[in-house]
Structure formats: C-alpha cells, structure tokens
Amino acid sequence: MRFVTLKLDGREVAGIRTSRGVVTLAALNEAKGTSYPTDLLSLIQAQEIPALTAWYNAGGREELEEMATIPREKCIFGPLYRHPKRIFGIGLNYKDHAGDIGSAAPTGFPGSFFKMADTLIGPGDTIQLPRLKEAVRTTAEAELGVVLGRDCRDVSEEDWQSAIVGYTTILDMTEESILKGNEFVAGNPRYLTIVKNFPTFFSFGPELVTPDEVPDVLALEVQSVHNGAIYAKNTVSNMTHRPARLVSLHSSIQGWYAGDVLSTGTPRAFPLQDGDVAECRIYGPNGFEMEPLINPVTDLKKHPELD
C-alpha cells in the first residue's frame, strides 16, 4: 500500500495510490462511512495504517479502484507531512560515503545526528544553497527513509518492523565546506548541527510504502542521481548499520515517537550547483520501485532577488 500527500486547493491532504491516480482519505471516508484522519501524520499517530493495510490486501485495493480518484496527471505531491517530532539521520553508513570526507565508517555505534523539522521540503520544492559566504560546497545524499509507526522504547532487532509504518525516499543535504573546513579534524561532528540544518536541507516523499510491499528491505538499491545520471548506488545489505539495528539501538537510547523519520545513510553524496536537479531513486527485486524524489536546486548567492 502506498500513501501520499497531495497539494489540493491550498491544503495538503493524505491519499492512497491506485492504478488510476490517488484516492484521498476524505474520499475514502465518504465512500466507506469511516472517519480516518485526513492528514498523514495524524493517520500514523492514530496507528490506523496497519488496519488500513490489512483491509487493502483483503479486497480494499479493488474497492479503491471504484472510488472518486484524482488522476495521476493532476496530482501535485507534497512532503509526506510537515511536522514530525524528530528527524534522525545516520552519517557515513556506507564506506564509500565515509571516504568522501576523509573519515572511516563508524563501526561500534552509528554516526547519528538530529535535523529540525523546519528544514523539511517535499517533491518538486527547491533546494536552496545558502547565502552564507562560508557555505561553498553543499552536497545532496539520497537515502532510504524509515518512518516510525508508534511510540516505543527497547524494541528488539527481531521485532523492529513492528515499530515502523513504512519506507520512503529522502534527499538529505550537508554544507560540507563548513564540516570539512575547520582546524581540528575533517568531518568534525561538532559542526553537524550547523551543516545539516539550513532551510530546505531535508526532502522526503512522495510515497510512504508499507512494509508488506517490501519483503526484503536489505535487497533495496538506493541511487544518488545528479542531473539525471546515477552518481552512486548501493544496496541496503551493504550498510554498516542496517535498519534493524538502527531502529532497535535508538529505541534503547532516545526512544521513538510515531511519525519520527529515520534517514539511514547514503551510498555517496554529490555536490550541488545552481540549476542542478537532485534525485533519490530506490529499486528492489521483481520490478519493485518507489516513486522517485526529485528536487531542483537554486543558489541563493546567485539570486539576490529571492528571500
């Protein structure tokens, strides 16, 4: 099952993908006499997605095809939602990416950091390279996102999927010139808060794919795509810290809230310039693919007319 958020009549509303387009949750409620929340974060927090998924797989898919649908060509996707309680990122989770900034991939504990919700944008929104004069190398990182489905602590690795509600595509931006340019050591983690939290530095969506559609998350291939060309790719099985460990370990540290977003690391980051297009693609076995996440890039230094 695949959930999206649409920009519709000045609002952002949740819907379900069908072969013909999108059925909004409001249209589903009208057709079925249900009262599901009509924004995706509230739907997650109400823990309604597992029951909706069971209904979908037991005949709901066919019912949706008969409901009022917004055609695919008229769909404008937004971010899945705007205000998660927390966005949690994992740095240097593939060896190739660690080499980009002259560091070794963390082995004992993952290299972790928080991002603020006000960095968040969605599909088609513009990544803005900062005006700050010291910011001269912004990179984009295509990543597999894991969305938490319930408030929880101390989740075992064996039971990690009980804590999640689905997967998504993510582009996570870093201002590498500041991260690498200090006098202490390349990639100094003291600077992660600064370099990760410029406005527009986190894009996610357009789809939340429920776990039943992804029988083997380790077989997924994550692609960093720069101006339409694959810059780097790797499979989740090659992560130093795989999703099961990441969800379990952090549940035993800070715990999780429903709607938290875990960004699991990138095969490799690519530098951005004015006019570029950044993209995250995720594929899997047997023709599986997620709707790609695509964002144009504008350098604010070159566009003083922009706020």
Side-chain angles (χ1 to χ4, degrees):
M1 193 173 192
R2 299 186 181 216
F3 292 88
V4 298
T5 292
L6 298 182
K7 296 180 179 180
L8 189 63
D9 299 327
R11 299 173 296 124
E12 293 183 346
V13 299
I16 301 169
R17 292 290 294 264
T18 73
S19 64
R20 297 186 297 122
V22 173
V23 175
T24 66
L25 268 294
L28 175 64
N29 286 337
E30 183 175 352
K32 297 285 290 181
T34 50
S35 56
Y36 293 114
T38 56
D39 70 277
L40 193 51
L41 182 57
S42 296
L43 190 72
I44 293 168
Q45 291 171 337
Q47 299 185 45
E48 296 281 15
I49 288 181
L52 269 169
T53 302
W55 165 78
Y56 180 84
N57 289 327
R61 180 200 303 256
E62 291 73 23
E63 288 187 55
L64 283 168
E65 295 292 344
E66 302 302 319
M67 295 181 191
T69 303
I70 299 173
R72 176 65 178 84
E73 62 272 16
K74 294 185 178 181
C75 292
I76 301 174
F77 298 108
L80 293 178
Y81 42 91
R82 293 280 179 184
H83 301 291
K85 286 191 175 181
R86 294 178 301 196
I87 301 169
F88 203 76
I90 307 299
L92 312 182
N93 207 15
Y94 295 94
K95 291 181 180 179
D96 285 350
H97 184 213
D100 284 347
I101 62 170
S103 299
T107 54
F109 276 76
S112 306
F113 56 90
F114 285 107
K115 298 197 74 151
M116 303 299 291
D118 60 4
T119 65
L120 194 152
I121 58 174
D125 292 335
T126 300
I127 299 166
Q128 296 181 343
L129 307 186
R131 292 192 192 280
L132 187 72
K133 63 181 177 61
E134 293 87 353
V136 294
R137 180 182 168 85
T138 299
T139 57
E141 304 161 14
E143 309 196 12
L144 171 69
V146 178
V147 177
L148 277 295
R150 60 184 175 92
D151 297 358
C152 56
R153 291 194 64 87
D154 299 321
V155 177
S156 69
E157 288 194 35
E158 294 73 22
D159 197 36
W160 76 280
Q161 285 196 318
S162 74
I164 74 168
V165 77
Y167 306 99
T168 191
T169 45
I170 284 173
L171 285 166
D172 178 31
M173 274 55 73
T174 304
E175 183 37 62
E176 275 193 10
S177 52
I178 297 172
L179 184 66
K180 296 171 67 175
N182 73 88
E183 67 274 25
F184 295 104
V185 62
N188 193 322
R190 293 184 181 92
Y191 289 81
L192 275 174
T193 299
I194 295 173
V195 303
K196 288 288 188 179
N197 280 286
F198 287 91
T200 76
F201 267 31
F202 187 83
S203 181
F204 88 134
E207 291 184 334
L208 174 66
V209 181
T210 53
D212 59 295
E213 289 207 17
V214 188
D216 185 5
V217 67
L218 298 182
L220 295 179
E221 180 180 275
V222 181
Q223 298 182 356
S224 293
V225 180
H226 186 202
N227 293 331
I230 298 173
Y231 184 86
K233 60 183 179 180
N234 214 326
T235 58
V236 174
S237 62
N238 291 325
M239 288 180 175
T240 303
H241 303 280
R242 295 175 174 180
R245 171 168 166 75
L246 294 173
V247 170
S248 175
L249 176 64
H250 290 96
S251 77
S252 299
I253 300 172
Q254 87 278 354
W256 294 111
Y257 292 112
D260 280 357
V261 183
L262 170 65
S263 195
T264 58
T266 186
R268 202 164 190 183
F270 53 91
L272 298 175
Q273 299 182 36
D274 188 63
D276 280 356
V277 176
E279 186 174 351
C280 174
R281 300 176 188 167
I282 297 180
Y283 296 96
N286 303 316
F288 174 88
E289 61 182 288
M290 294 187 188
E291 182 81 13
L293 173 63
I294 305 172
N295 293 97
V297 179
T298 293
D299 188 343
L300 294 180
K301 294 183 181 70
K302 296 185 176 183
H303 296 275
E305 74 279 6
L306 298 176
D307 291 333

